[in-house]
mmCIF file with all atom_site columns, all heavy atoms in Angstrom:
data_model
loop_
_atom_site.group_PDB
_atom_site.id
_atom_site.type_symbol
_atom_site.label_atom_id
_atom_site.label_alt_id
_atom_site.label_comp_id
_atom_site.label_asym_id
_atom_site.label_entity_id
_atom_site.label_seq_id
_atom_site.pdbx_PDB_ins_code
_atom_site.Cartn_x
_atom_site.Cartn_y
_atom_site.Cartn_z
_atom_site.occupancy
_atom_site.B_iso_or_equiv
_atom_site.pdbx_formal_charge
_atom_site.auth_seq_id
_atom_site.auth_comp_id
_atom_site.auth_asym_id
_atom_site.auth_atom_id
_atom_site.pdbx_PDB_model_num
ATOM 1   N N   . LEU A 1 1  ? 100.212 64.269 105.619 1.00 98.00 ? 1  LEU A N   1
ATOM 2   C CA  . LEU A 1 1  ? 101.280 64.670 104.681 1.00 98.00 ? 1  LEU A CA  1
ATOM 3   C C   . LEU A 1 1  ? 100.956 66.052 104.110 1.00 98.00 ? 1  LEU A C   1
ATOM 4   O O   . LEU A 1 1  ? 99.847  66.258 103.592 1.00 98.00 ? 1  LEU A O   1
ATOM 5   C CB  . LEU A 1 1  ? 101.419 63.650 103.560 1.00 98.00 ? 1  LEU A CB  1
ATOM 6   C CG  . LEU A 1 1  ? 101.414 62.177 103.922 1.00 98.00 ? 1  LEU A CG  1
ATOM 7   C CD1 . LEU A 1 1  ? 101.451 61.362 102.643 1.00 98.00 ? 1  LEU A CD1 1
ATOM 8   C CD2 . LEU A 1 1  ? 102.637 61.871 104.802 1.00 98.00 ? 1  LEU A CD2 1
ATOM 9   N N   . GLY A 1 2  ? 101.920 66.957 104.166 1.00 98.00 ? 2  GLY A N   1
ATOM 10  C CA  . GLY A 1 2  ? 101.727 68.249 103.526 1.00 98.00 ? 2  GLY A CA  1
ATOM 11  C C   . GLY A 1 2  ? 101.981 68.119 102.035 1.00 98.00 ? 2  GLY A C   1
ATOM 12  O O   . GLY A 1 2  ? 102.991 67.494 101.617 1.00 98.00 ? 2  GLY A O   1
ATOM 13  N N   . ALA A 1 3  ? 101.094 68.629 101.226 1.00 98.00 ? 3  ALA A N   1
ATOM 14  C CA  . ALA A 1 3  ? 101.237 68.565 99.788  1.00 98.00 ? 3  ALA A CA  1
ATOM 15  C C   . ALA A 1 3  ? 101.934 69.812 99.280  1.00 98.00 ? 3  ALA A C   1
ATOM 16  O O   . ALA A 1 3  ? 101.422 70.961 99.378  1.00 98.00 ? 3  ALA A O   1
ATOM 17  C CB  . ALA A 1 3  ? 99.842  68.440 99.126  1.00 98.00 ? 3  ALA A CB  1
ATOM 18  N N   . SER A 1 4  ? 103.152 69.678 98.779  1.00 97.00 ? 4  SER A N   1
ATOM 19  C CA  . SER A 1 4  ? 103.987 70.802 98.322  1.00 97.00 ? 4  SER A CA  1
ATOM 20  C C   . SER A 1 4  ? 103.686 71.152 96.864  1.00 97.00 ? 4  SER A C   1
ATOM 21  O O   . SER A 1 4  ? 103.752 70.315 96.003  1.00 97.00 ? 4  SER A O   1
ATOM 22  C CB  . SER A 1 4  ? 105.472 70.470 98.453  1.00 97.00 ? 4  SER A CB  1
ATOM 23  O OG  . SER A 1 4  ? 105.822 70.074 99.758  1.00 97.00 ? 4  SER A OG  1
ATOM 24  N N   . ALA A 1 5  ? 103.304 72.416 96.692  1.00 96.00 ? 5  ALA A N   1
ATOM 25  C CA  . ALA A 1 5  ? 103.104 72.894 95.347  1.00 96.00 ? 5  ALA A CA  1
ATOM 26  C C   . ALA A 1 5  ? 104.365 73.617 94.837  1.00 96.00 ? 5  ALA A C   1
ATOM 27  O O   . ALA A 1 5  ? 104.538 73.773 93.611  1.00 96.00 ? 5  ALA A O   1
ATOM 28  C CB  . ALA A 1 5  ? 101.910 73.845 95.293  1.00 96.00 ? 5  ALA A CB  1
ATOM 29  N N   . SER A 1 6  ? 105.202 74.063 95.746  1.00 95.00 ? 6  SER A N   1
ATOM 30  C CA  . SER A 1 6  ? 106.492 74.688 95.409  1.00 95.00 ? 6  SER A CA  1
ATOM 31  C C   . SER A 1 6  ? 107.376 74.567 96.651  1.00 95.00 ? 6  SER A C   1
ATOM 32  O O   . SER A 1 6  ? 106.967 73.983 97.664  1.00 95.00 ? 6  SER A O   1
ATOM 33  C CB  . SER A 1 6  ? 106.348 76.170 95.039  1.00 95.00 ? 6  SER A CB  1
ATOM 34  O OG  . SER A 1 6  ? 106.081 76.955 96.187  1.00 95.00 ? 6  SER A OG  1
ATOM 35  N N   . THR A 1 7  ? 108.578 75.116 96.595  1.00 92.00 ? 7  THR A N   1
ATOM 36  C CA  . THR A 1 7  ? 109.472 75.005 97.776  1.00 92.00 ? 7  THR A CA  1
ATOM 37  C C   . THR A 1 7  ? 108.965 75.793 98.969  1.00 92.00 ? 7  THR A C   1
ATOM 38  O O   . THR A 1 7  ? 109.384 75.551 100.108 1.00 92.00 ? 7  THR A O   1
ATOM 39  C CB  . THR A 1 7  ? 110.878 75.535 97.415  1.00 92.00 ? 7  THR A CB  1
ATOM 40  O OG1 . THR A 1 7  ? 110.787 76.866 96.929  1.00 92.00 ? 7  THR A OG1 1
ATOM 41  C CG2 . THR A 1 7  ? 111.530 74.666 96.350  1.00 92.00 ? 7  THR A CG2 1
ATOM 42  N N   . VAL A 1 8  ? 108.063 76.716 98.732  1.00 91.00 ? 8  VAL A N   1
ATOM 43  C CA  . VAL A 1 8  ? 107.526 77.558 99.862  1.00 91.00 ? 8  VAL A CA  1
ATOM 44  C C   . VAL A 1 8  ? 105.977 77.502 99.982  1.00 91.00 ? 8  VAL A C   1
ATOM 45  O O   . VAL A 1 8  ? 105.410 78.157 100.861 1.00 91.00 ? 8  VAL A O   1
ATOM 46  C CB  . VAL A 1 8  ? 107.938 79.038 99.680  1.00 91.00 ? 8  VAL A CB  1
ATOM 47  C CG1 . VAL A 1 8  ? 109.442 79.140 99.778  1.00 91.00 ? 8  VAL A CG1 1
ATOM 48  C CG2 . VAL A 1 8  ? 107.431 79.608 98.345  1.00 91.00 ? 8  VAL A CG2 1
ATOM 49  N N   . THR A 1 9  ? 105.361 76.712 99.133  1.00 94.00 ? 9  THR A N   1
ATOM 50  C CA  . THR A 1 9  ? 103.878 76.696 99.105  1.00 94.00 ? 9  THR A CA  1
ATOM 51  C C   . THR A 1 9  ? 103.354 75.312 99.297  1.00 94.00 ? 9  THR A C   1
ATOM 52  O O   . THR A 1 9  ? 103.799 74.364 98.663  1.00 94.00 ? 9  THR A O   1
ATOM 53  C CB  . THR A 1 9  ? 103.365 77.260 97.773  1.00 94.00 ? 9  THR A CB  1
ATOM 54  O OG1 . THR A 1 9  ? 103.946 78.553 97.540  1.00 94.00 ? 9  THR A OG1 1
ATOM 55  C CG2 . THR A 1 9  ? 101.833 77.404 97.809  1.00 94.00 ? 9  THR A CG2 1
ATOM 56  N N   . PHE A 1 10 ? 102.390 75.222 100.232 1.00 97.00 ? 10 PHE A N   1
ATOM 57  C CA  . PHE A 1 10 ? 101.670 73.934 100.408 1.00 97.00 ? 10 PHE A CA  1
ATOM 58  C C   . PHE A 1 10 ? 100.219 74.144 100.040 1.00 97.00 ? 10 PHE A C   1
ATOM 59  O O   . PHE A 1 10 ? 99.602  75.177 100.381 1.00 97.00 ? 10 PHE A O   1
ATOM 60  C CB  . PHE A 1 10 ? 101.778 73.491 101.871 1.00 97.00 ? 10 PHE A CB  1
ATOM 61  C CG  . PHE A 1 10 ? 103.146 72.994 102.236 1.00 97.00 ? 10 PHE A CG  1
ATOM 62  C CD1 . PHE A 1 10 ? 104.105 73.907 102.701 1.00 97.00 ? 10 PHE A CD1 1
ATOM 63  C CD2 . PHE A 1 10 ? 103.472 71.656 102.140 1.00 97.00 ? 10 PHE A CD2 1
ATOM 64  C CE1 . PHE A 1 10 ? 105.348 73.489 103.046 1.00 97.00 ? 10 PHE A CE1 1
ATOM 65  C CE2 . PHE A 1 10 ? 104.752 71.211 102.525 1.00 97.00 ? 10 PHE A CE2 1
ATOM 66  C CZ  . PHE A 1 10 ? 105.704 72.125 102.949 1.00 97.00 ? 10 PHE A CZ  1
ATOM 67  N N   . SER A 1 11 ? 99.655  73.200 99.365  1.00 97.00 ? 11 SER A N   1
ATOM 68  C CA  . SER A 1 11 ? 98.294  73.336 98.871  1.00 97.00 ? 11 SER A CA  1
ATOM 69  C C   . SER A 1 11 ? 97.270  72.735 99.833  1.00 97.00 ? 11 SER A C   1
ATOM 70  O O   . SER A 1 11 ? 96.082  73.137 99.798  1.00 97.00 ? 11 SER A O   1
ATOM 71  C CB  . SER A 1 11 ? 98.168  72.677 97.495  1.00 97.00 ? 11 SER A CB  1
ATOM 72  O OG  . SER A 1 11 ? 98.269  71.274 97.627  1.00 97.00 ? 11 SER A OG  1
ATOM 73  N N   . GLY A 1 12 ? 97.621  71.755 100.636 1.00 98.00 ? 12 GLY A N   1
ATOM 74  C CA  . GLY A 1 12 ? 96.681  71.068 101.495 1.00 98.00 ? 12 GLY A CA  1
ATOM 75  C C   . GLY A 1 12 ? 97.349  69.888 102.196 1.00 98.00 ? 12 GLY A C   1
ATOM 76  O O   . GLY A 1 12 ? 98.556  69.716 102.155 1.00 98.00 ? 12 GLY A O   1
ATOM 77  N N   . ASP A 1 13 ? 96.534  69.056 102.788 1.00 98.00 ? 13 ASP A N   1
ATOM 78  C CA  . ASP A 1 13 ? 97.006  67.880 103.531 1.00 98.00 ? 13 ASP A CA  1
ATOM 79  C C   . ASP A 1 13 ? 96.383  66.621 102.967 1.00 98.00 ? 13 ASP A C   1
ATOM 80  O O   . ASP A 1 13 ? 95.195  66.575 102.651 1.00 98.00 ? 13 ASP A O   1
ATOM 81  C CB  . ASP A 1 13 ? 96.602  67.957 105.004 1.00 98.00 ? 13 ASP A CB  1
ATOM 82  C CG  . ASP A 1 13 ? 97.464  68.947 105.763 1.00 98.00 ? 13 ASP A CG  1
ATOM 83  O OD1 . ASP A 1 13 ? 98.602  69.217 105.370 1.00 98.00 ? 13 ASP A OD1 1
ATOM 84  O OD2 . ASP A 1 13 ? 96.938  69.468 106.798 1.00 98.00 ? 13 ASP A OD2 1
ATOM 85  N N   . VAL A 1 14 ? 97.162  65.592 102.891 1.00 98.00 ? 14 VAL A N   1
ATOM 86  C CA  . VAL A 1 14 ? 96.687  64.267 102.604 1.00 98.00 ? 14 VAL A CA  1
ATOM 87  C C   . VAL A 1 14 ? 96.694  63.488 103.898 1.00 98.00 ? 14 VAL A C   1
ATOM 88  O O   . VAL A 1 14 ? 97.684  63.453 104.631 1.00 98.00 ? 14 VAL A O   1
ATOM 89  C CB  . VAL A 1 14 ? 97.551  63.514 101.562 1.00 98.00 ? 14 VAL A CB  1
ATOM 90  C CG1 . VAL A 1 14 ? 97.204  62.049 101.515 1.00 98.00 ? 14 VAL A CG1 1
ATOM 91  C CG2 . VAL A 1 14 ? 97.332  64.139 100.178 1.00 98.00 ? 14 VAL A CG2 1
ATOM 92  N N   . ILE A 1 15 ? 95.527  62.916 104.248 1.00 98.00 ? 15 ILE A N   1
ATOM 93  C CA  . ILE A 1 15 ? 95.439  62.107 105.466 1.00 98.00 ? 15 ILE A CA  1
ATOM 94  C C   . ILE A 1 15 ? 95.289  60.635 105.101 1.00 98.00 ? 15 ILE A C   1
ATOM 95  O O   . ILE A 1 15 ? 94.472  60.271 104.255 1.00 98.00 ? 15 ILE A O   1
ATOM 96  C CB  . ILE A 1 15 ? 94.156  62.559 106.307 1.00 98.00 ? 15 ILE A CB  1
ATOM 97  C CG1 . ILE A 1 15 ? 94.219  64.046 106.605 1.00 98.00 ? 15 ILE A CG1 1
ATOM 98  C CG2 . ILE A 1 15 ? 94.068  61.701 107.584 1.00 98.00 ? 15 ILE A CG2 1
ATOM 99  C CD1 . ILE A 1 15 ? 95.360  64.451 107.485 1.00 98.00 ? 15 ILE A CD1 1
ATOM 100 N N   . ILE A 1 16 ? 96.098  59.835 105.784 1.00 98.00 ? 16 ILE A N   1
ATOM 101 C CA  . ILE A 1 16 ? 96.052  58.361 105.560 1.00 98.00 ? 16 ILE A CA  1
ATOM 102 C C   . ILE A 1 16 ? 95.658  57.679 106.856 1.00 98.00 ? 16 ILE A C   1
ATOM 103 O O   . ILE A 1 16 ? 96.326  57.850 107.872 1.00 98.00 ? 16 ILE A O   1
ATOM 104 C CB  . ILE A 1 16 ? 97.390  57.843 105.091 1.00 98.00 ? 16 ILE A CB  1
ATOM 105 C CG1 . ILE A 1 16 ? 97.865  58.518 103.804 1.00 98.00 ? 16 ILE A CG1 1
ATOM 106 C CG2 . ILE A 1 16 ? 97.313  56.320 104.877 1.00 98.00 ? 16 ILE A CG2 1
ATOM 107 C CD1 . ILE A 1 16 ? 99.252  58.221 103.389 1.00 98.00 ? 16 ILE A CD1 1
ATOM 108 N N   . ASP A 1 17 ? 94.574  56.974 106.864 1.00 98.00 ? 17 ASP A N   1
ATOM 109 C CA  . ASP A 1 17 ? 94.199  56.145 108.006 1.00 98.00 ? 17 ASP A CA  1
ATOM 110 C C   . ASP A 1 17 ? 94.577  54.709 107.706 1.00 98.00 ? 17 ASP A C   1
ATOM 111 O O   . ASP A 1 17 ? 94.251  54.216 106.600 1.00 98.00 ? 17 ASP A O   1
ATOM 112 C CB  . ASP A 1 17 ? 92.658  56.228 108.244 1.00 98.00 ? 17 ASP A CB  1
ATOM 113 C CG  . ASP A 1 17 ? 92.233  57.582 108.745 1.00 98.00 ? 17 ASP A CG  1
ATOM 114 O OD1 . ASP A 1 17 ? 93.030  58.241 109.374 1.00 98.00 ? 17 ASP A OD1 1
ATOM 115 O OD2 . ASP A 1 17 ? 91.050  57.945 108.471 1.00 98.00 ? 17 ASP A OD2 1
ATOM 116 N N   . TYR A 1 18 ? 95.287  54.088 108.618 1.00 98.00 ? 18 TYR A N   1
ATOM 117 C CA  . TYR A 1 18 ? 95.789  52.728 108.390 1.00 98.00 ? 18 TYR A CA  1
ATOM 118 C C   . TYR A 1 18 ? 94.852  51.677 109.000 1.00 98.00 ? 18 TYR A C   1
ATOM 119 O O   . TYR A 1 18 ? 94.127  51.956 110.004 1.00 98.00 ? 18 TYR A O   1
ATOM 120 C CB  . TYR A 1 18 ? 97.188  52.566 108.987 1.00 98.00 ? 18 TYR A CB  1
ATOM 121 C CG  . TYR A 1 18 ? 98.291  53.260 108.229 1.00 98.00 ? 18 TYR A CG  1
ATOM 122 C CD1 . TYR A 1 18 ? 98.561  54.614 108.467 1.00 98.00 ? 18 TYR A CD1 1
ATOM 123 C CD2 . TYR A 1 18 ? 99.077  52.579 107.284 1.00 98.00 ? 18 TYR A CD2 1
ATOM 124 C CE1 . TYR A 1 18 ? 99.562  55.273 107.792 1.00 98.00 ? 18 TYR A CE1 1
ATOM 125 C CE2 . TYR A 1 18 ? 100.053 53.209 106.604 1.00 98.00 ? 18 TYR A CE2 1
ATOM 126 C CZ  . TYR A 1 18 ? 100.363 54.565 106.848 1.00 98.00 ? 18 TYR A CZ  1
ATOM 127 O OH  . TYR A 1 18 ? 101.352 55.180 106.162 1.00 98.00 ? 18 TYR A OH  1
ATOM 128 N N   . LYS A 1 19 ? 94.951  50.492 108.470 1.00 98.00 ? 19 LYS A N   1
ATOM 129 C CA  . LYS A 1 19 ? 94.289  49.346 109.069 1.00 98.00 ? 19 LYS A CA  1
ATOM 130 C C   . LYS A 1 19 ? 95.275  48.207 109.152 1.00 98.00 ? 19 LYS A C   1
ATOM 131 O O   . LYS A 1 19 ? 96.219  48.134 108.366 1.00 98.00 ? 19 LYS A O   1
ATOM 132 C CB  . LYS A 1 19 ? 93.075  48.910 108.207 1.00 98.00 ? 19 LYS A CB  1
ATOM 133 C CG  . LYS A 1 19 ? 93.420  48.407 106.810 1.00 98.00 ? 19 LYS A CG  1
ATOM 134 C CD  . LYS A 1 19 ? 92.170  47.986 106.035 1.00 98.00 ? 19 LYS A CD  1
ATOM 135 C CE  . LYS A 1 19 ? 92.547  47.539 104.641 1.00 98.00 ? 19 LYS A CE  1
ATOM 136 N NZ  . LYS A 1 19 ? 91.368  47.114 103.847 1.00 98.00 ? 19 LYS A NZ  1
ATOM 137 N N   . TYR A 1 20 ? 95.045  47.268 110.093 1.00 98.00 ? 20 TYR A N   1
ATOM 138 C CA  . TYR A 1 20 ? 95.906  46.118 110.206 1.00 98.00 ? 20 TYR A CA  1
ATOM 139 C C   . TYR A 1 20 ? 95.315  44.952 109.447 1.00 98.00 ? 20 TYR A C   1
ATOM 140 O O   . TYR A 1 20 ? 94.140  44.583 109.688 1.00 98.00 ? 20 TYR A O   1
ATOM 141 C CB  . TYR A 1 20 ? 96.071  45.724 111.693 1.00 98.00 ? 20 TYR A CB  1
ATOM 142 C CG  . TYR A 1 20 ? 96.964  44.525 111.912 1.00 98.00 ? 20 TYR A CG  1
ATOM 143 C CD1 . TYR A 1 20 ? 98.332  44.633 111.778 1.00 98.00 ? 20 TYR A CD1 1
ATOM 144 C CD2 . TYR A 1 20 ? 96.424  43.297 112.278 1.00 98.00 ? 20 TYR A CD2 1
ATOM 145 C CE1 . TYR A 1 20 ? 99.147  43.542 111.999 1.00 98.00 ? 20 TYR A CE1 1
ATOM 146 C CE2 . TYR A 1 20 ? 97.233  42.188 112.521 1.00 98.00 ? 20 TYR A CE2 1
ATOM 147 C CZ  . TYR A 1 20 ? 98.620  42.303 112.349 1.00 98.00 ? 20 TYR A CZ  1
ATOM 148 O OH  . TYR A 1 20 ? 99.410  41.219 112.554 1.00 98.00 ? 20 TYR A OH  1
ATOM 149 N N   . GLU A 1 21 ? 96.064  44.423 108.544 1.00 97.00 ? 21 GLU A N   1
ATOM 150 C CA  . GLU A 1 21 ? 95.552  43.381 107.678 1.00 97.00 ? 21 GLU A CA  1
ATOM 151 C C   . GLU A 1 21 ? 96.730  42.540 107.162 1.00 97.00 ? 21 GLU A C   1
ATOM 152 O O   . GLU A 1 21 ? 97.709  43.055 106.685 1.00 97.00 ? 21 GLU A O   1
ATOM 153 C CB  . GLU A 1 21 ? 94.780  43.960 106.508 1.00 97.00 ? 21 GLU A CB  1
ATOM 154 C CG  . GLU A 1 21 ? 94.107  42.947 105.571 1.00 97.00 ? 21 GLU A CG  1
ATOM 155 C CD  . GLU A 1 21 ? 93.279  43.620 104.520 1.00 97.00 ? 21 GLU A CD  1
ATOM 156 O OE1 . GLU A 1 21 ? 92.139  44.052 104.815 1.00 97.00 ? 21 GLU A OE1 1
ATOM 157 O OE2 . GLU A 1 21 ? 93.824  43.815 103.382 1.00 97.00 ? 21 GLU A OE2 1
ATOM 158 N N   . GLY A 1 22 ? 96.584  41.224 107.296 1.00 96.00 ? 22 GLY A N   1
ATOM 159 C CA  . GLY A 1 22 ? 97.561  40.317 106.734 1.00 96.00 ? 22 GLY A CA  1
ATOM 160 C C   . GLY A 1 22 ? 98.955  40.513 107.418 1.00 96.00 ? 22 GLY A C   1
ATOM 161 O O   . GLY A 1 22 ? 99.964  40.336 106.711 1.00 96.00 ? 22 GLY A O   1
ATOM 162 N N   . GLY A 1 23 ? 99.014  40.847 108.671 1.00 97.00 ? 23 GLY A N   1
ATOM 163 C CA  . GLY A 1 23 ? 100.275 40.950 109.369 1.00 97.00 ? 23 GLY A CA  1
ATOM 164 C C   . GLY A 1 23 ? 100.980 42.260 109.196 1.00 97.00 ? 23 GLY A C   1
ATOM 165 O O   . GLY A 1 23 ? 102.159 42.371 109.612 1.00 97.00 ? 23 GLY A O   1
ATOM 166 N N   . ARG A 1 24 ? 100.314 43.238 108.565 1.00 98.00 ? 24 ARG A N   1
ATOM 167 C CA  . ARG A 1 24 ? 100.967 44.525 108.393 1.00 98.00 ? 24 ARG A CA  1
ATOM 168 C C   . ARG A 1 24 ? 99.915  45.634 108.361 1.00 98.00 ? 24 ARG A C   1
ATOM 169 O O   . ARG A 1 24 ? 98.707  45.391 108.294 1.00 98.00 ? 24 ARG A O   1
ATOM 170 C CB  . ARG A 1 24 ? 101.771 44.566 107.067 1.00 98.00 ? 24 ARG A CB  1
ATOM 171 C CG  . ARG A 1 24 ? 100.933 44.363 105.822 1.00 98.00 ? 24 ARG A CG  1
ATOM 172 C CD  . ARG A 1 24 ? 101.842 43.985 104.635 1.00 98.00 ? 24 ARG A CD  1
ATOM 173 N NE  . ARG A 1 24 ? 102.875 44.971 104.397 1.00 98.00 ? 24 ARG A NE  1
ATOM 174 C CZ  . ARG A 1 24 ? 102.974 45.759 103.340 1.00 98.00 ? 24 ARG A CZ  1
ATOM 175 N NH1 . ARG A 1 24 ? 102.064 45.666 102.354 1.00 98.00 ? 24 ARG A NH1 1
ATOM 176 N NH2 . ARG A 1 24 ? 103.939 46.594 103.213 1.00 98.00 ? 24 ARG A NH2 1
ATOM 177 N N   . PHE A 1 25 ? 100.375 46.896 108.488 1.00 98.00 ? 25 PHE A N   1
ATOM 178 C CA  . PHE A 1 25 ? 99.486  48.058 108.441 1.00 98.00 ? 25 PHE A CA  1
ATOM 179 C C   . PHE A 1 25 ? 99.508  48.601 107.028 1.00 98.00 ? 25 PHE A C   1
ATOM 180 O O   . PHE A 1 25 ? 100.553 48.929 106.461 1.00 98.00 ? 25 PHE A O   1
ATOM 181 C CB  . PHE A 1 25 ? 99.961  49.128 109.441 1.00 98.00 ? 25 PHE A CB  1
ATOM 182 C CG  . PHE A 1 25 ? 99.683  48.790 110.870 1.00 98.00 ? 25 PHE A CG  1
ATOM 183 C CD1 . PHE A 1 25 ? 100.617 48.115 111.633 1.00 98.00 ? 25 PHE A CD1 1
ATOM 184 C CD2 . PHE A 1 25 ? 98.444  49.108 111.454 1.00 98.00 ? 25 PHE A CD2 1
ATOM 185 C CE1 . PHE A 1 25 ? 100.356 47.763 112.940 1.00 98.00 ? 25 PHE A CE1 1
ATOM 186 C CE2 . PHE A 1 25 ? 98.188  48.776 112.781 1.00 98.00 ? 25 PHE A CE2 1
ATOM 187 C CZ  . PHE A 1 25 ? 99.150  48.096 113.530 1.00 98.00 ? 25 PHE A CZ  1
#
């Protein structure tokens, strides 16, 4: 996910790693 600091500026990336648990990710 790109982290938006303004309509034209991105500050960095958020990375999400998923796991399968309880029938869902």
Side-chain angles (χ1 to χ4, degrees):
L1 314 175
S4 304
S6 75
T7 56
V8 296
T9 307
F10 289 85
S11 68
D13 286 332
V14 167
I15 304 297
I16 302 171
D17 291 332
Y18 287 85
K19 65 179 178 180
Y20 180 74
E21 183 177 280
R24 62 196 305 245
F25 286 91

